[in-house]
Amino acid sequence: MRDDGAVRIVVSGASGVLGSALVPALRADGHEVITLVRRPPRGPDEVRWNPGGGELDRAALGDVDAAVHLAGAGIGDRRWTADYRREILDSRVQGTRLLATTLAAGVPARSAAEPVVLLSSSAVGWYGTAADDPVDESAPAGTGFLADIVRAWEESATPAAEAGVRVCLLRTGPVLAASGGILARQLPLFRLGVGGRLGSGRQWVSWIGLDDWVAAVRFLLAAGAAPDTTDAATGMTTGASVTERGRAIAGPVNLVAPCPVTGAEFARALGAVLRRPAVLPVPRLALRAVVGEFADEGVLASQRVVPRVLTDAGFQFQHPELAGALRALLAR
């Protein structure tokens, strides 16, 4: 860490929807960001890795202060054939284990005053299809393919935690972004006036705005310190350093907004913001025909998840309610 508080952060999955928003924000904060790539590096800010082959240069990560791990095959990108199920699992377990063990190997060379933090991507799929009651980070794992994937995914970060790395498991809900995810798929239909609820509309959707997701990651990177003040615009604590232990946050953290909505409420809010009707529902059978089993465990899974760890830590959401988050996003 530099004297000005800036840190060296390695990011995997930097070219994805989340990484593409996070990396510029971290660099704007003055941090040095190194991205992991599978191709030959094109500059000093890139490091090549091969998760499937277990290849990652330990020396290249020896002096990093933090890692944000976002890489993994898209859950809803393709039908869940046996081969693609294996790819979804391997892309998460292999990459997480490789990064965790590499960071763990570098811990003995650091002083006790220089702890490392790993923010490892996870998902609200941990909870399976939950009941209508809200669930927080203390809830047990649910059942189903996605719940099993998330359980193995999170366990893969264990080597880092056992070595003394502060590990946060980012249980992320559907992220509102115009460039990807379920909202990007719905926007064209709603803009044409042929949008509507998905399935029955009774399922709970634990969403989060992209800006709040980025702000939460920045907050967690600094959560090892006792904060001086909180920036209301970003949710970041100023005067805090990842090398101070203070009130360290570790373990699962739900990255969702504090106000989940039902699928029907989501459709109505999106229609209202776009000033378009939202009266043409998409039946469950039609969704199954398009995305297969992902319809039941992903799109239509009911998960009323709340961000207890973040709110207890004093994180301030910029857009806690859906309508405001959609207006802010679509205004851009």
Side-chain angles (χ1 to χ4, degrees), residues 41 56 66 71 76 89 98 114 118 157 174 197 206 281:
L56 178 57
L89 175 63
L98 177 58
E114 297 178 319
L118 167 61
R197 72 183 193 292
S206 298

Side-chain angles (χ1 to χ4, degrees), residues 196-198 200-203 205 261-270 278:
R197 72 183 193 292
L198 302 179
S200 70
R202 293 190 295 271
Q203 73 276 11
V205 181
V261 297
T262 66
E265 291 169 337
F266 188 97
R268 285 196 295 269
L270 181 55

Side-chain angles (χ1 to χ4, degrees), residues 280-295:
L280 295 177
V282 181
R284 180 184 292 267
L285 288 177
L287 284 170
R288 284 175 177 166
V290 175
V291 297
E293 295 173 79
F294 178 62

Side-chain angles (χ1 to χ4, degrees), residues 243-290:
T243 63
E244 300 171 296
R245 292 193 178 275
R247 304 180 309 157
I249 296 175
V253 183
N254 291 335
L255 266 60
V256 295
C259 300
V261 297
T262 66
E265 291 169 337
F266 188 97
R268 285 196 295 269
L270 181 55
V273 169
L274 292 173
R275 298 183 181 180
R276 295 289 189 275
V279 295
L280 295 177
V282 181
R284 180 184 292 267
L285 288 177
L287 284 170
R288 284 175 177 166
V290 175

Side-chain angles (χ1 to χ4, degrees), residues 94-113:
Q94 292 173 351
T96 305
R97 183 183 296 128
L98 177 58
L99 186 54
T101 55
T102 302
L103 290 173
V107 168
R110 304 174 69 94
S111 71

Side-chain angles (χ1 to χ4, degrees), residues 16-328:
V17 173
L18 300 180
S20 295
L22 177 64
V23 169
L26 294 177
R27 286 176 171 155
D29 289 339
H31 301 310
E32 179 185 357
V33 179
I34 306 298
T35 60
L36 297 181
V37 297
R38 297 171 188 265
R39 51 170 171 73
R42 295 172 180 165
D45 60 347
E46 294 183 346
V47 170
R48 188 178 183 277
W49 76 327
N50 176 13
E55 300 171 9
L56 178 57
D57 184 4
R58 290 182 180 179
L61 270 61
D63 61 347
V64 299
D65 302 289
V68 184
H69 177 44
L70 306 175
I75 294 290
D77 290 358
R78 290 163 49 189
R79 283 182 169 275
W80 291 352
T81 62
D83 287 345
Y84 197 58
R85 282 173 178 263
R86 173 54 59 182
E87 183 177 342
I88 290 172
L89 175 63
D90 288 348
S91 69
R92 283 158 174 75
V93 170
Q94 292 173 351
T96 305
R97 183 183 296 128
L98 177 58
L99 186 54
T101 55
T102 302
L103 290 173
V107 168
R110 304 174 69 94
S111 71
E114 297 178 319
V116 182
V117 57
L118 167 61
L119 306 189
S120 188
S121 187
S122 182
V124 294
W126 166 273
Y127 304 103
T129 296
D132 287 340
D133 294 331
V135 295
D136 63 21
E137 290 87 351
S138 65
T143 59
F145 172 66
L146 288 184
D148 291 344
I149 288 291
V150 175
R151 187 185 299 108
W153 194 2
E154 293 189 355
E155 289 175 354
S156 302
T158 300
E162 291 178 342
V165 175
R166 179 169 67 88
V167 176
C168 293
L169 304 167
L170 309 180
R171 291 182 183 167
T172 300
V175 179
L176 303 186
S179 58
I182 192 169
L183 179 62
R185 296 182 180 183
Q186 289 180 285
L187 278 174
L189 296 175
F190 274 80
R191 283 172 168 150
L192 290 172
V194 293
R197 72 183 193 292
L198 302 179
S200 70
R202 293 190 295 271
Q203 73 276 11
W204 286 95
V205 181
S206 298
W207 60 276
I208 186 171
L210 181 58
D211 288 349
D212 274 326
W213 185 90
V214 170
V217 169
R218 295 165 67 205
F219 179 84
L220 291 170
L221 285 171
D228 295 329
T229 59
T230 299
D231 186 334
T234 65
M236 282 290 293
T237 52
T238 59
S241 164
V242 296
T243 63
E244 300 171 296
R245 292 193 178 275
R247 304 180 309 157
I249 296 175
V253 183
N254 291 335
L255 266 60
V256 295
C259 300
V261 297
T262 66
E265 291 169 337
F266 188 97
R268 285 196 295 269
L270 181 55
V273 169
L274 292 173
R275 298 183 181 180
R276 295 289 189 275
V279 295
L280 295 177
V282 181
R284 180 184 292 267
L285 288 177
L287 284 170
R288 284 175 177 166
V290 175
V291 297
E293 295 173 79
F294 178 62
D296 295 319
E297 290 201 38
V299 179
L300 299 178
S302 184
Q303 296 161 331
R304 192 178 182 183
V305 183
V306 294
R308 181 183 60 82
V309 170
L310 282 177
T311 54
D312 285 355
F315 177 75
Q316 300 293 316
F317 285 85
Q318 302 173 57
H319 305 294
E321 297 184 352
L322 179 61
L326 289 171
R327 281 194 293 268

